[in-house]
């Protein structure tokens, strides 16, 4: 077992990472040739003198002493070509002694990858070009740098030997995590377990590898991965296949793997894994189930003819319908993700997003209607018709959902990773974790939620300030019910989402999960308690405070607030 440092391993495409010249090579050009039969002339041997890429009317030759172990001398026939030019690219990775050639859409592996070498022929520098000719290589480029637009017989590249373990660590971050370097990082230790010239896989008993590392907190998941270059010689990636992760502590991770290669541990930075996921899932499922039943009861209660005629009832009814849809879809999202798969989750995720935005919109309308009730007392204005509320509450959320649906790739299966078992994520239908979906979340969901919570808090403060002097406020039950009920109506409980950090993160997460999943039940309970209080007081209570018939109110402002509190 060899314990190598990650800053000593460089993969494909880390050109110019730690040197003035190229550590590896990607040379592309246009082979100008004649019509008819063509051939590849391969002549590679061990050493580190350099590489010659040449071409003429019928041959494209790769010749050099550049490899550590690979030796090959062969002529490969190509199909007859009626065109007089063919695009080609040559890839050379000294770390795994790998060379591959692409010619006219065909791939040829000239040297298969092997384990990390002790000495690498790298630091390639471009030498003097051969003279120009009618047949040869035109538009020769190294990566994106154009060497010459003219047609030359050959291109020379010199090289020098270097210890592979001395290559700068920046190669690892550039090559392995070109897309995900902000989401994951690799541990310092990379362990090599190999058998010379043998591929060992599907072991009956897994090998155990214990990594000792710096502290990894539970807010970041970790996964045991292996480096397998044989899946795609042109792309080397860390894969979880064949490895099981056992977390032994904050400073130790144990990996169980059924094959031999290079191993390390990837630390997931974003998205963060969820602690106590099983308990949170149980609370959410129970809350959503209870809320679905409660919303149905509340809809029936509000749909009575004598109550449905009241203007404010329409808004309460719209919120109840939206919450019913939201809780129902959220209760079923895990089952649908596992049974229906990606195709079903695309539609369910969009529907769940619509239900969430619709619920937020109706909560915002509750706030707006309260302000409207206050405002129109002083200035007589035309009150919006019922269909305006319905159009805004159910129609507005359709717009962003349809736009995101047309963009595509936003909705689908979302993995929620538990901190105690990163190999078994919880699947749900929602917005993905790709960049487009995250941007949609940050520019649509969060602004709406922030506006809702802030406006709800402001309105709660206004209501508290105005009703505190009233006689009814002295009744603690009425005071508590007023603030608690309006908090649910105004959506302020969702503000706990922004407090999920620091030492109280777990506590806040549980409270937020409980309040929001049981929100439908709380609303139903609020209306039921108020109805009981109204009946006991002979109709003196309506809404969250007493009705406008109370004799204790004498000012215009108090009567205004009473009318407001009805709704």
């Amino acid at each position: 077992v060899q314990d190598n440092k990650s800053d000593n391993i460089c993969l494909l495409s880390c050109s110019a990472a730690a040197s003035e010249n190229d550590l590896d090579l990607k040379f592309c050009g246009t082979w100008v040739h004649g019509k008819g039969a063509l051939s590849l002339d391969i002549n590679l041997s061990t050493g580190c003198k350099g590489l010659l890429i040449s071409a003429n009317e019928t041959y494209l030759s790769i010749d050099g002493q550049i490899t550590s172990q690979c030796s090959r001398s062969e002529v490969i026939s190509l199909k007859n070509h009626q065109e007089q030019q063919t695009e080609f690219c040559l890839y050379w990775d000294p770390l795994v002694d790998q060379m591959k050639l692409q010619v006219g859409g065909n791939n040829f592996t000239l040297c298969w990858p092997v384990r990390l070498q002790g000495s690498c022929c790298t630091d390639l520098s471009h030498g003097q070009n051969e003279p120009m000719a009618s047949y040869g290589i035109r538009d020769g480029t190294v990566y994106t740098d154009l060497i010459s637009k003219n047609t030359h017989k050959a291109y020379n590249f010199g090289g020098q030997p270097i210890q592979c373990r001395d290559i700068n660590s920046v190669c690892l971050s550039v090559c392995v995590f070109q897309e995900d370097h902000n989401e994951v990082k690799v541990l310092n230790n990379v362990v090599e377990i190999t058998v010379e010239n043998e591929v060992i896989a599907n072991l009956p008993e897994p090998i155990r590898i214990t990594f000792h590392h710096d502290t990894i907190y539970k807010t970041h998941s970790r996964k045991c991965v292996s480096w397998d270059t044989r899946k795609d010689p042109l792309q080397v990636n860390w894969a979880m296949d064949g490895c099981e992760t056992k977390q032994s502590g904050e400073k130790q991770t144990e990996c169980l793997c059924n094959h031999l290669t290079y191993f390390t541990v990837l630390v997931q930075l974003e998205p963060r894994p969820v602690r106590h996921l099983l308990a949170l899932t149980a609370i959410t499922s129970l809350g959503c189930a209870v809320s679905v039943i409660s919303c149905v009861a509340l809809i029936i209660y509000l749909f009575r003819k004598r109550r449905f005629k009241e203007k404010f009832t329409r808004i309460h009814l719209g919120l109840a319908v939206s919450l019913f849809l939201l809780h129902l879809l959220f209760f079923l999202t895990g089952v649908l993700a596992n049974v229906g798969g990606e195709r079903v989750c695309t539609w369910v995720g969009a529907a769940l997003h619509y239900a969430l935005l619709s619920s937020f919109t109706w909560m915002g309308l509750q706030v707006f209607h309260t302000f409207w009730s206050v405002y129109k007392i002083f200035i007589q204005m035309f009150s919006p018709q019922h269909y305006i509320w319905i159009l805004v509450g159910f129609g507005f959320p359709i717009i962003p959902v349809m736009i995101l649906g047309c963009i595509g790739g936003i909705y689908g299966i979302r993995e929620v990773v538990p901190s105690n078992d990163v190999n078994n994520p919880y699947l749900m239908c929602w917005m993905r974790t790709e960049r487009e979906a995250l941007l949609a979340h940050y520019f649509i969901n969060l602004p709406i939620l922030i506006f809702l919570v802030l406006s709800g808090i402001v309105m709660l403060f206004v209501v508290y300030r105005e009703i505190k002097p009233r006689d009814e406020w002295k009744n603690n039950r009425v005071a508590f019910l007023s603030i608690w009920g309006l908090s649910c109506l105004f959506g302020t409980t969702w503000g706990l989402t922004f407090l999920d950090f620091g030492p109280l993160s777990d506590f806040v997460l549980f409270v937020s999960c409980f309040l929001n999943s049981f929100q439908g039940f709380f609303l139903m309970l609020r209306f039921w308690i108020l109805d009981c209080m109204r009946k006991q007081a002979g109709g003196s209570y309506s809404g969250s405070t007493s009705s406008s018939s109370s004799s204790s109110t004498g000012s215009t402002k108090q009567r205004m607030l009473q009318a407001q509190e009805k709704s």
Side-chain angles (χ1 to χ4, degrees):
V1 177
Q2 299 178 2
D3 189 359
N4 305 322
K5 297 295 182 180
S6 64
D7 56 356
N8 298 332
I9 295 182
C10 177
L11 306 182
L12 290 171
S13 304
C14 55
S15 62
S19 174
E20 179 181 355
N21 302 316
D22 291 327
L23 298 172
D24 54 4
L25 179 67
K26 176 186 176 183
F27 176 81
C28 298
T30 301
W31 175 18
V32 181
H33 52 72
K35 296 182 179 180
L38 303 175
S39 301
L40 298 178
D41 187 5
I42 310 301
N43 186 17
L44 298 172
S45 58
T46 58
C48 191
K49 290 185 177 180
L51 182 66
L52 177 67
I53 306 171
S54 60
N56 57 26
E57 185 176 0
T58 58
Y59 282 90
L60 175 63
S61 299
I62 310 297
D63 189 356
Q65 289 181 293
I66 192 173
T67 67
S68 177
Q69 295 186 14
C70 176
S71 295
R72 184 171 183 178
S73 180
E74 184 179 357
V75 176
I76 302 174
S77 297
L78 301 176
K79 296 180 179 179
N80 292 341
H81 283 70
Q82 299 303 318
E83 303 292 335
Q84 291 187 298
Q85 62 182 27
T86 302
E87 304 293 332
F88 76 94
C89 283
L90 179 70
Y91 302 86
W92 163 241
D93 181 7
L95 292 172
V96 289
D97 217 31
Q98 171 187 268
M99 185 177 292
K100 187 164 184 174
L101 179 67
Q102 291 180 329
V103 181
N106 297 318
N107 295 328
F108 297 92
T109 301
L110 308 184
C111 291
W112 286 96
V114 294
R115 66 186 180 91
L116 184 67
Q117 306 301 308
S119 177
C120 299
C121 186
T122 183
D123 200 22
L124 298 173
S125 59
H126 175 239
Q128 183 178 2
N129 296 339
E130 294 293 330
M132 292 186 293
S134 300
Y135 298 102
I137 302 172
R138 188 182 68 220
D139 297 331
T141 60
V142 175
Y143 291 99
T144 58
D145 298 329
L146 178 65
I147 299 177
S148 176
K149 291 185 178 181
N150 300 319
T151 303
H152 295 271
K153 290 184 178 180
Y155 284 81
N156 286 291
F157 293 91
Q160 67 179 51
I162 187 174
Q163 290 297 313
C164 296
R165 295 177 175 83
D166 292 337
I167 297 176
N168 196 291
S169 63
V170 73
C171 296
L172 184 64
S173 61
V174 170
C175 307
V176 182
F177 307 117
Q178 291 181 8
E179 297 182 356
D180 300 327
H181 63 279
N182 290 326
E183 298 180 0
V184 294
K185 71 175 182 178
V186 67
L187 287 180
N188 289 333
N189 294 330
V190 176
V191 174
E192 175 193 3
I193 305 178
T194 57
V195 176
E196 189 73 23
N197 298 325
E198 293 289 340
V199 178
I200 306 298
N202 300 320
L203 295 172
E205 291 291 334
I207 59 171
R208 292 179 177 268
I209 310 168
T210 301
F211 290 90
H212 299 273
H213 44 70
D214 295 335
T215 300
I216 300 177
Y217 296 103
K218 291 183 178 181
T219 54
H220 302 294
S221 66
R222 51 190 117 157
K223 300 177 182 179
C224 296
V225 293
S226 62
W227 176 20
D228 187 2
T229 61
R230 296 183 181 274
K231 289 187 176 181
D232 183 356
L234 283 180
Q235 183 67 44
V236 182
N237 289 314
W238 295 109
M240 293 183 292
D241 300 341
C243 285
E244 181 182 353
T245 305
K246 296 289 186 181
Q247 297 186 18
S248 302
E250 293 183 344
K251 295 186 177 181
Q252 182 174 311
T253 302
E254 186 177 63
C255 300
L256 305 179
C257 300
N258 63 3
H259 59 288
L260 304 184
T261 180
Y262 297 91
F263 303 97
T264 190
V265 177
L266 290 186
V267 180
Q268 191 81 14
L269 302 180
E270 293 293 343
R272 295 184 305 164
V274 180
R275 299 180 63 184
H276 314 294
L277 181 59
L278 182 60
L280 291 171
T281 302
I283 293 174
T284 303
S285 299
L286 177 61
C288 288
V290 173
S291 291
V292 166
I293 300 173
S294 301
C295 285
V296 173
L298 182 58
I299 292 171
I300 296 174
Y301 173 80
L302 294 174
F303 213 82
R304 297 176 187 174
K305 291 184 178 180
R306 65 182 182 88
R307 295 188 176 276
F308 189 70
K309 293 179 181 180
E310 300 176 6
K311 184 181 300 184
F312 68 86
T313 305
R314 304 292 182 93
I315 301 178
H316 297 328
L317 185 61
L319 177 59
V321 172
S322 296
L323 287 177
F324 166 77
L325 181 61
L326 175 64
H327 291 305
L328 178 63
L329 289 175
F330 206 89
F331 179 76
L332 298 175
T333 183
V335 177
L336 295 174
N338 286 279
V339 176
E342 190 70 35
R343 181 175 298 181
V344 173
C345 265
T346 300
W347 293 96
V348 175
L352 183 59
H353 190 207
Y354 168 79
L356 179 66
L357 294 181
S358 181
S359 299
F360 287 167
T361 303
W362 280 108
M363 291 175 189
L365 290 177
Q366 296 274 3
V367 177
F368 177 77
H369 184 262
T370 305
F371 276 108
W372 184 277
S373 301
V374 173
Y375 186 65
K376 73 177 182 178
I377 292 298
F378 301 100
I379 300 178
Q380 294 298 323
M381 297 183 63
F382 174 74
S383 180
Q385 297 296 322
H386 298 314
Y387 71 88
I388 298 296
W389 302 107
I390 296 175
L391 183 62
V392 174
F394 290 118
F396 169 74
I398 296 179
I399 300 175
V401 173
M402 289 187 63
I403 294 175
L404 296 180
C406 293
I407 293 175
I410 304 295
Y411 304 111
I413 293 180
R414 175 76 171 264
E415 292 186 356
V416 182
V417 181
S419 60
N420 59 344
D421 190 2
V422 296
N423 293 318
N424 295 299
Y426 173 79
L427 302 182
M428 63 177 294
C429 298
W430 180 233
M431 304 175 77
R432 299 172 179 268
T433 55
E434 281 74 9
R435 181 170 303 179
E436 295 80 4
L438 291 177
L439 289 176
H441 173 70
Y442 291 135
F443 286 99
I444 296 178
N445 297 346
L446 286 185
I448 293 176
L449 183 57
I450 291 173
F451 176 79
L452 171 66
V453 172
L454 291 180
S455 60
I457 292 175
V458 170
M459 197 59 215
L460 276 176
F461 175 76
V462 171
V463 171
Y464 168 77
R465 186 186 63 181
E466 298 297 340
I467 68 176
K468 184 179 180 181
R470 300 173 62 181
D471 294 336
E472 292 81 3
W473 184 259
K474 298 178 181 179
N475 186 327
N476 292 332
R477 185 173 58 167
V478 175
F480 170 77
L481 193 61
S482 298
I483 298 302
W484 170 65
L486 290 176
S487 297
C488 294
L489 289 176
F490 294 163
T492 57
T493 57
W494 290 89
L496 293 172
T497 305
F498 302 105
L499 303 178
D500 182 18
F501 61 88
L504 296 178
S505 175
D506 290 344
F507 173 76
V508 171
L509 190 60
F510 271 94
V511 173
S512 175
C513 178
F514 177 79
L515 292 179
N516 293 322
S517 61
F518 280 88
Q519 193 167 33
F521 170 74
F522 292 147
L523 288 178
M524 185 274 297
L525 186 62
R526 171 184 182 268
F527 279 92
W528 179 76
I529 293 177
L530 288 174
D531 195 44
C532 292
M533 292 171 59
R534 180 181 59 82
K535 292 178 180 179
Q536 291 176 2
S540 61
Y541 289 107
S542 180
S544 60
T545 58
S546 61
S547 68
S548 58
S549 62
S550 174
S551 60
S552 62
T553 59
S555 67
T556 302
K557 182 180 291 187
Q558 285 175 326
R559 290 195 299 271
M560 172 265 294
L561 286 170
Q562 292 162 4
Q564 164 208 327
E565 282 299 303
K566 266 192 172 183
S567 59

